[in-house]
């Protein structure tokens, strides 16, 4: 058979199932577009979770610290606005602030303030001469520690309480210090009537 008698077979296009057609439905790397979108979506979700896990606690700490400072100031302002409460502090409050108010005390007034720096208990009461001795002894000091003419309540605490420590009154005072976390008591006594002294105390404890 001569070359002229050979049949020429036309070239067939590649079949749709051949490996050469796989790139037409993908993105060139063999991964279908749908799977690639799923991978990207999973990565975005993971990244979002990580940001939330780190960001939320950090933000909470910042907000919490700010609220604590504002809360302390608000409580002091509220106490100043309301004035002293005509009542006895609870037994727990007296133990925490080490304020052994004598049982015969009259006209007991108090309030408590707390902030991130310190907690304070303000107390005022009238007692007898013997009651004053029992109170001072219970705190851990004595009448000999009272300095005549001395006022130990700070201007800051006077501003909050509205207490008066001006002239015309026989004042005597002492500061009984303790090591933290035990409270320190600033005690000032109106001794104008020695038989019925009036005691003013600010007991401050540092957390």
């Amino acid at each position: 058979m001569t070359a002229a008698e050979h049949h020429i077979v036309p070239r067939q296009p590649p079949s749709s199932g051949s490996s050469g057609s796989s790139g037409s439905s993908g993105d060139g790397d063999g991964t279908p577009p749908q799977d690639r979108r799923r991978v990207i979506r999973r990565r975005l979700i993971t990244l979002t979770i990580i940001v939330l896990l780190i960001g939320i606690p950090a933000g909470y700490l910042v907000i919490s610290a700010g609220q604590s400072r504002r809360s302390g100031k608000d409580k002091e302002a509220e106490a100043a606005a309301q004035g002293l409460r005509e009542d006895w502090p609870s037994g727990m409050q007296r133990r925490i602030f080490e304020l052994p108010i004598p049982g015969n005390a009259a006209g007991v007034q108090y309030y408590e303030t707390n902030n991130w720096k310190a907690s304070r208990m303000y107390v005022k009461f009238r007692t007898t001469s013997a009651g004053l001795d029992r109170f001072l002894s219970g705190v851990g000091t004595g009448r000999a520690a009272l300095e005549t003419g001395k006022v130990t309540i700070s201007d800051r605490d006077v501003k909050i309480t509205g207490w008066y420590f001006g002239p015309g009154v026989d004042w005597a005072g002492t500061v009984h210090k303790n090591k933290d976390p035990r409270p320190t008591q600033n005690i000032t006594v109106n001794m104008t009537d020695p038989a019925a002294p009036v005691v003013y105390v600010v007991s401050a404890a540092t957390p």
Side-chain angles (χ1 to χ4, degrees):
M1 182 181 295
T2 64
E5 294 175 327
H6 279 288
H7 295 289
I8 299 175
V9 180
R11 187 175 181 179
Q12 298 296 321
S15 65
S16 59
S18 67
S19 61
S21 63
S22 62
S24 62
S25 60
D27 57 5
D29 60 358
T31 304
Q34 194 171 19
D35 290 344
R36 188 172 184 82
R37 284 195 296 271
R38 192 175 294 119
V39 170
I40 293 173
R41 187 162 56 248
R42 281 202 301 267
R43 289 176 180 172
L44 287 174
I45 292 172
T46 302
L47 180 60
T48 301
I49 291 172
I50 292 172
V51 170
L52 290 175
L53 288 175
I54 296 174
I56 289 178
Y60 174 79
L61 289 175
V62 172
I63 293 171
S64 189
Q67 286 179 339
S68 178
R69 292 187 182 94
R70 287 194 298 272
S71 176
K73 292 179 181 178
D74 291 344
K75 285 183 179 179
E76 288 189 353
E78 181 182 353
Q82 292 178 351
L84 296 169
R85 180 180 301 178
E86 298 277 351
D87 201 355
W88 283 61
S90 69
M92 180 175 290
Q93 287 173 315
R94 280 176 274 160
R95 286 192 297 273
I96 291 173
F97 290 96
E98 300 186 19
L99 293 171
I101 302 172
N104 65 352
V108 180
Q109 301 176 339
Y110 84 96
Y111 64 72
E112 179 184 355
T113 62
N114 300 282
N115 60 38
W116 62 288
K117 287 185 177 180
S119 297
R120 288 180 174 82
M121 175 68 73
Y122 300 84
V123 173
K124 174 186 176 183
F125 61 90
R126 183 183 293 274
T127 186
T128 61
S129 180
L132 174 61
D133 287 331
R134 287 198 300 273
F135 171 73
L136 294 172
S137 176
V139 168
T141 183
R143 193 182 288 256
L146 293 175
E147 296 183 38
T148 302
K150 185 173 184 178
V151 173
T152 58
I153 308 298
S154 70
D155 291 340
R156 173 190 178 281
D157 293 326
V158 168
K159 191 176 295 184
I160 290 175
T161 59
W163 288 338
Y164 171 81
F165 296 107
V169 178
D170 294 333
W171 300 111
T174 187
V175 176
H176 180 68
K177 295 184 178 181
N178 288 304
K179 292 183 179 180
D180 292 339
R182 292 182 60 195
T184 291
Q185 295 90 5
N186 285 52
I187 304 168
T188 297
V189 185
N190 179 345
M191 297 294 293
T192 304
D193 181 357
V198 180
V199 180
Y200 300 81
V201 190
V202 179
S203 182
T206 303

